[in-house]
Amino acid sequence: MASILNAFDSEALQLAAKTIQQGGLVAFPTETVYGLGADARNPMAVARIFEVKRRPSIDPLIVHVASAEEAEKYGRLEHKNAHLLMRQFWPGPLTLVVPKRELVPQIVTAGLATVALRMPAHETALALIRRAGTAIAAPSANPFGYLSPTDAGHVSREMSQQIDIILDGGKCSVGVESTIISLIGSKPVLLRPGGTPVEELEKVLGEVQRFEALPERPEAPGQLKRHYATRTRLEVFSGVEHELSIRLGERIGVLSLGPLADPGRYAAVEVLSSSGNLREAAANLFAALRRLDEMDLERIVALPVPEIGLGIAIMDRLTRCSARE
Ligand code: TXA
Ligand code: MG
C-alpha cells in the first residue's frame, strides 16, 4: 500500500526523493495531471512503471526536469526553436521531443533515438526532481488507456497497491496533459494538443503542423486512437444528433461545457464550467468523466466544445475516448 503524504510537507518530499533514488515509484502532482515517477536513469525502476501501468513497452515516457540546463543533459536542444520555446513556456505544460543523449536508458524512450522533455510548473514536482538529484521519468499515474488522474484520490483508487508513495497536492490546475511538440524535423510538429494552447505556440513559431495532418506521417508510438477512455461507452454528439439517438428509458449521462436547458431528462449531467470557460472545463474534464463512469450508465454523451484554446485538447481527449477498440 502506498503512503499518502502531503505534497507540500518538506519531510514528505525528502522521503519521496529518497524513494526515487532507491528505485521506487512515487506518484506526484503536476499542473497538468498526476505523474507516476521513477528515476529516469534507472532502467529497473522505469521497468516497474510499465509493469504497474500495464503499459506497452513501445510507448515512450516523458522525462521531467527542473531546469533548461538539466534538460541539456538528457536531450540535444539544438533545434533553432528549442531555446525560444523553453524560455517562453517553461516551466509549464509543454513537452519537447528532441534527439536523446546517452544518459537516457532505452527503456525510457521505447528504443527511439528521441526523448520527450518537460519542466512542470508545480512546486512539488520541481522540488522532488531537485531533491532526488535526477530527472524523473513519469507517465500519467493511471492504468494504461484509462482517464488521467487529476487528484490524489484518483491515483490511490487505482494504483495504491503497487506503488510506494502518493504525494497529495490537491486538484491539478490545468487538468489535461502537456502539449507535445516534436523538434526533430526542421519544422515543429504538434504530436499532442494539451495544456499549452497551440495558438500560443503559433504566436512564436508561426503555423505549427499537426501530426494527424501530415501527408506522410512516420510511425509514432503513443498516437493511439483509443485512449483516455471511460469504461462506459462514450459518444461525442451535437445537441440535435443526440436528441435523436435517445431510447425511451435509457440511462444516459451527459457531459456538457455549460448548463443544459433540460437536465432532468438524463440520469446524470456533468457541467464542465457554468460560464462556459474552456480553461475551467479542462481542469474539470477527467474528474467529471470519472464520476459519470462510476454511475453504471448505459451510455455517456459528450456534447462538443469549441475547438479553440484548451478546447482543442478537450476535443482530442473526448474523441479518443469515444474511439472503439
Ligand atoms: O502532462 C503530462 O505530459 C503528463 C504529466 C505527468 O507530466 N504526462 C503524460 O505522460 O501525459 P504520458 O506517458 O501519459 O504521455 C506521454 C506521451 C506518450 O503518449 C508518448 O507517446 C509521448 O508522450 N512521447 C514520449 N516520448 C516520445 C518521443 N520520443 N517521441 C514521440 N512521442 C513521445
Ligand atoms: Mg497517459
Side-chain angles (χ1 to χ4, degrees), residues 9-241:
D9 177 68
S10 179
E11 271 172 45
L13 274 170
Q14 205 52 41
L15 186 63
K18 202 166 152 208
T19 301
I20 294 281
Q21 287 168 347
Q22 292 171 342
L25 299 189
V26 174
F28 63 99
T30 79
E31 78 282 28
T32 58
V33 301
Y34 276 71
L36 179 60
D39 180 349
R41 305 188 199 183
N42 180 340
M44 292 294 287
V46 173
R48 266 190 74 202
I49 294 181
F50 283 91
E51 228 176 280
V52 166
K53 278 196 59 133
R54 277 169 273 125
R55 179 178 176 113
S57 58
I58 54 154
D59 196 4
L61 304 180
I62 295 175
V63 172
H64 296 71
V65 294
S67 68
E69 296 75 62
E70 192 181 6
E72 290 276 7
K73 293 196 222 162
Y74 296 88
R76 297 183 193 285
L77 297 160
E78 54 216 19
H79 189 280
K80 66 177 185 328
N81 297 128
H83 287 273
L84 180 68
L85 289 173
M86 288 189 292
R87 259 201 313 278
Q88 191 101 6
F89 296 100
W90 279 14
L94 179 67
T95 296
L96 303 178
V97 173
V98 299
K100 86 178 208 41
R101 289 195 196 272
E102 204 64 36
L103 193 54
V104 185
Q106 292 286 331
I107 187 169
V108 172
T109 63
L112 296 174
T114 58
V115 62
L117 298 170
R118 150 161 148 81
M119 178 180 176
H122 193 291
E123 268 324 301
T124 298
L126 294 173
L128 186 64
I129 298 162
R130 288 193 190 110
R131 291 195 193 195
T134 178
I136 294 182
S140 49
N142 53 284
F144 182 72
Y146 195 55
L147 305 168
S148 299
T150 51
D151 71 33
H154 297 160
V155 182
S156 79
R157 251 169 275 155
E158 277 146 4
M159 309 249 96
S160 181
Q161 298 300 325
Q162 304 116 292
I163 67 180
D164 301 302
I165 292 177
I166 299 171
L167 291 173
D168 184 352
K171 183 179 161 181
C172 300
S173 61
V174 175
V176 291
E177 300 80 356
S178 60
T179 300
I180 306 181
I181 286 273
S182 167
L183 297 180
I184 298 303
S186 56
K187 286 196 183 138
V189 175
L190 179 72
L191 298 182
R192 173 175 78 181
T196 300
V198 66
E199 295 93 328
E200 299 294 313
L201 295 171
E202 289 185 327
K203 277 183 202 158
V204 294
L205 296 176
E207 201 196 333
V208 171
Q209 300 193 51
R210 320 269 160 124
F211 175 79
E212 258 93 37
L214 291 183
E216 273 178 59
R217 44 189 210 207
E219 283 288 308
Q223 301 291 328
L224 297 171
K225 240 178 105 189
R226 184 173 166 81
H227 210 78
Y228 311 104
T230 47
R231 291 168 185 128
T232 313
R233 183 155 68 99
L234 178 142
E235 290 162 331
V236 186
F237 270 153
S238 71
V240 182
E241 276 176 320

Side-chain angles (χ1 to χ4, degrees), residues 147 193 212 224-230 233-237 255 285-286 289 302-305 307 311-325:
L147 305 168
E212 258 93 37
L224 297 171
K225 240 178 105 189
R226 184 173 166 81
H227 210 78
Y228 311 104
T230 47
R233 183 155 68 99
L234 178 142
E235 290 162 331
V236 186
F237 270 153
L255 182 81
L285 177 68
F286 285 128
L289 284 170
L303 303 178
V305 309
E307 291 194 60
I312 299 175
I314 295 174
M315 283 303 282
D316 171 80
R317 304 307 184 267
L318 290 176
T319 308
R320 286 184 208 275
C321 184
S322 71
R324 297 293 141 74
E325 312 278 345

